[in-house]
Amino acid sequence: MHTIWRLLYNVIFIPPFWTALHILGLFNRKVARGIAGRKTLFADLEKTIAAMPAGPRVWVHASSMGEFEQAKPIIAALKARHPDVRIIASFFSPSGYEHSRKYTLADAIVYIPFDSPGGARRFIELMRPDVAVMVRYDIWPNHIWELRARSIPVIIANATMSRRTLRRLPLLRSMHQSVYNCIDSILTVAESDVAAFRAFRLKRPTVKAIGDTRYDQVATRSAEARKRHIVPPAVVAGKNVIVAGSTWPEDEAVLLPAFLGLREERADLLLILTPHEPTLEHIEGIERELAGRATTIRFSALNEYDGQDVIIVDSIGILLVLYASAHLAYVGGSFRQGIHNVLEAAVYGIPVLFGPKHRNSHEPLMLVERGGAFIVTNEEEFRTTAGNLLRDDRIRTTAGDRASSFVRSHLGATEQILTFIEPLLTTRSNGTPR
């Protein structure tokens, strides 16, 4: 079946995918950037590899920026223990590639080529990794098959698998079974993921629940963030601060009216609003919505702060640091298609609020069960829940303590993942040719 699926995948799926991608690139700037960025991929990689010092090589692949955040604790731990390890980090998404190019712990930052047999073969031939680590879910069959053909160990870290996934449909199930059976270790976030992977009746890989490196990453980053004061203390002094992270217009349609209602009760309320896409059009729309009802200032002009009610963040990459200033947090996406990262807020020991669309992730409901988070389904519930937390320091502190305790109880996945990677480095570096 392995040979049959390889043939079918490359005849039936890859040509239409390649064509559709290039057509989409005519209309979508993000896709176009990804196509353009790959034009010199092999030439650039060849030069980088030629200049790379000797040492075992680990290929780490992530779909985009969020998945790469999950890889960072693994990379940092490997570099700390094995300074001669060379990290080659690849991305599918332009956003991940572009925002990670200055990441200093990687020896190379590259795009993964589109998943053709020839592209996968040339890519892996140039890299010659000792081990490949795929993060979360971005598994490209031709690359996996090529790694297996070369006897290069493959690990999936932070693996997840929904019981409702389309991958379990009859034909797709058989193809994915072929791919997963070429992997050595599938290290999942939870036991439920283990059960979902085992439903594929896999014979080859070790499937084990070891936790999620996102907990380790937010703990490390929050410790660093506490040392930074990107919001001047004078701005938040005497204020009750709500930080709303990664919001979409659907979130803001509930959040902003609730905030205005809360301000009628509490004049000391400050909202730091961080849109997921802080485009000029989006920011100007928020300013128009609040005009005449609340005063606003953009984060880029914060040195001119004069008591405004709402700070609109017009940059990216600082949300986790902003949560350090909050008394409570709202995590966006949960009135749209799916919630963003609740851990970035919970790690600071503050209550977390979010909307009804949160089942794309394990953590939100687990956090609710621990008493560190609260679900709000409309403006009235938001206003009531936030108001209760802001009025009662004891309730707010208790919920915040439960949130931070939840994060601390899940630390340690990075250490467990390293127990799978390190023996492979030793084995292959002690005589197995690349």
Side-chain angles (χ1 to χ4, degrees):
M1 287 300 291
H2 172 80
T3 304
I4 294 172
W5 275 119
R6 192 165 185 172
L7 178 64
L8 290 174
Y9 176 76
N10 287 306
V11 171
I12 295 174
F13 177 77
I14 287 297
F17 173 72
W18 177 263
T19 302
L21 207 61
H22 280 73
I23 293 172
L24 187 59
L26 299 174
F27 308 97
N28 186 300
R29 283 182 293 179
K30 183 176 179 180
V31 174
R33 293 202 315 272
I35 294 170
R38 287 172 166 84
K39 288 183 177 178
T40 61
L41 187 162
F42 294 116
D44 293 343
L45 180 59
E46 189 169 9
K47 292 176 184 176
T48 301
I49 295 294
M52 191 175 290
R57 295 176 189 167
V58 178
W59 171 29
V60 178
H61 175 69
S63 175
S64 192
M65 188 165 53
E67 290 73 32
F68 192 56
E69 285 297 316
Q70 301 170 39
K72 285 181 178 179
I74 302 170
I75 295 171
L78 278 172
K79 282 287 193 178
R81 295 187 186 186
H82 308 278
D84 63 331
V85 164
R86 307 302 164 201
I87 303 294
I88 303 167
S90 69
F91 297 87
F92 180 80
S93 163
S95 60
Y97 172 78
E98 291 162 1
H99 287 103
S100 302
R101 293 189 68 183
K102 294 182 180 179
Y103 179 66
T104 57
L105 293 183
D107 297 273
I109 301 283
V110 298
Y111 278 108
I112 190 173
F114 295 126
D115 196 40
S116 68
R121 189 179 309 114
R122 189 175 180 192
F123 188 60
I124 293 165
E125 174 62 31
L126 285 171
M127 285 192 300
R128 297 191 178 185
D130 290 288
V131 59
V133 180
M134 310 288 147
V135 181
R136 207 73 172 184
Y137 58 80
D138 205 45
I139 311 300
W140 292 100
N142 278 314
H143 286 77
I144 299 299
W145 289 325
E146 186 65 27
L147 289 164
R148 178 64 183 145
R150 293 170 181 266
S151 299
I152 296 170
V154 184
I155 294 170
I156 308 180
N158 285 13
T160 60
M161 175 74 72
S162 168
R163 290 185 178 274
R164 296 189 298 272
T165 179
L166 295 177
R167 286 175 281 184
R168 295 180 68 174
L169 294 176
L171 286 176
L172 290 177
R173 175 180 178 146
S174 179
M175 192 196 81
H176 281 91
Q177 183 185 54
S178 168
V179 175
Y180 293 140
N181 270 325
C182 291
I183 291 167
D184 294 81
S185 301
I186 299 175
L187 308 179
T188 73
V189 168
E191 289 292 345
S192 59
D193 300 305
V194 171
F197 274 104
R198 285 181 176 159
F200 286 85
R201 299 182 182 177
L202 303 178
K203 297 178 180 179
R204 186 166 182 275
T206 297
V207 184
K208 183 178 180 181
I210 55 89
D212 194 332
T213 61
R214 289 186 302 161
Y215 294 91
D216 300 331
Q217 179 66 352
V218 296
T220 300
R221 288 183 62 203
S222 65
E224 297 167 353
R226 291 177 197 274
K227 302 171 187 176
R228 300 170 60 188
H229 298 285
I230 62 173
V231 179
V235 171
V236 296
K239 302 286 181 64
N240 274 282
V241 182
I242 300 174
V243 173
S246 295
T247 62
W248 295 87
E250 293 87 343
D251 298 296
E252 292 147 13
V254 175
L255 169 67
L256 295 180
F259 169 76
L260 292 171
L262 286 168
R263 275 194 68 253
E264 295 176 1
E265 305 171 18
R266 305 191 65 97
D268 62 351
L269 203 56
L270 172 65
L271 173 64
I272 300 178
L273 179 63
T274 310
H276 184 71
E277 294 183 346
T279 62
L280 182 60
E281 181 182 12
H282 189 177
I283 290 169
E284 289 178 344
I286 295 169
E287 290 170 337
R288 285 193 299 271
E289 176 70 20
L290 293 173
R293 298 192 289 173
T295 53
T296 64
I297 187 171
R298 298 183 189 182
F299 186 85
S300 58
L302 203 56
N303 60 336
E304 300 173 12
Y305 182 78
D306 189 28
Q308 284 84 356
D309 306 310
V310 180
I311 298 171
I312 304 172
V313 179
D314 52 354
S315 59
I316 61 173
I318 61 172
L319 176 57
L320 188 136
V321 185
L322 293 173
Y323 282 131
S325 301
H327 290 83
L328 62 90
Y330 170 79
V331 179
S334 49
F335 277 96
R336 195 172 191 252
Q337 72 233 8
I339 194 169
H340 293 290
N341 193 345
V342 297
L343 302 179
E344 292 183 337
V347 70
Y348 288 105
I350 55 176
V352 182
L353 277 63
F354 49 81
K357 297 183 180 180
H358 50 260
R359 295 187 181 275
N360 57 309
S361 177
H362 292 282
E363 295 81 21
L365 280 180
M366 293 168 66
L367 199 53
V368 170
E369 290 169 2
R370 294 285 188 95
F374 304 87
I375 301 168
V376 293
T377 61
N378 53 47
E379 175 191 334
E380 182 180 353
E381 287 185 9
F382 189 109
R383 181 173 172 176
T384 299
T385 303
N388 290 339
L389 290 166
L390 292 170
R391 275 190 296 271
D392 194 318
D393 289 344
R394 183 185 59 82
I395 294 175
R396 186 177 71 249
T397 300
T398 299
D401 289 345
R402 289 172 176 170
S404 62
S405 176
F406 170 76
V407 176
R408 291 195 303 272
S409 69
H410 286 83
L411 298 177
T414 300
E415 185 67 28
Q416 292 199 57
I417 290 172
L418 257 61
T419 65
F420 285 81
I421 297 175
E422 289 179 312
L424 299 173
L425 292 178
T426 302
T427 300
R428 292 182 65 81
S429 298
N430 284 344
T432 304
R434 288 195 185 98

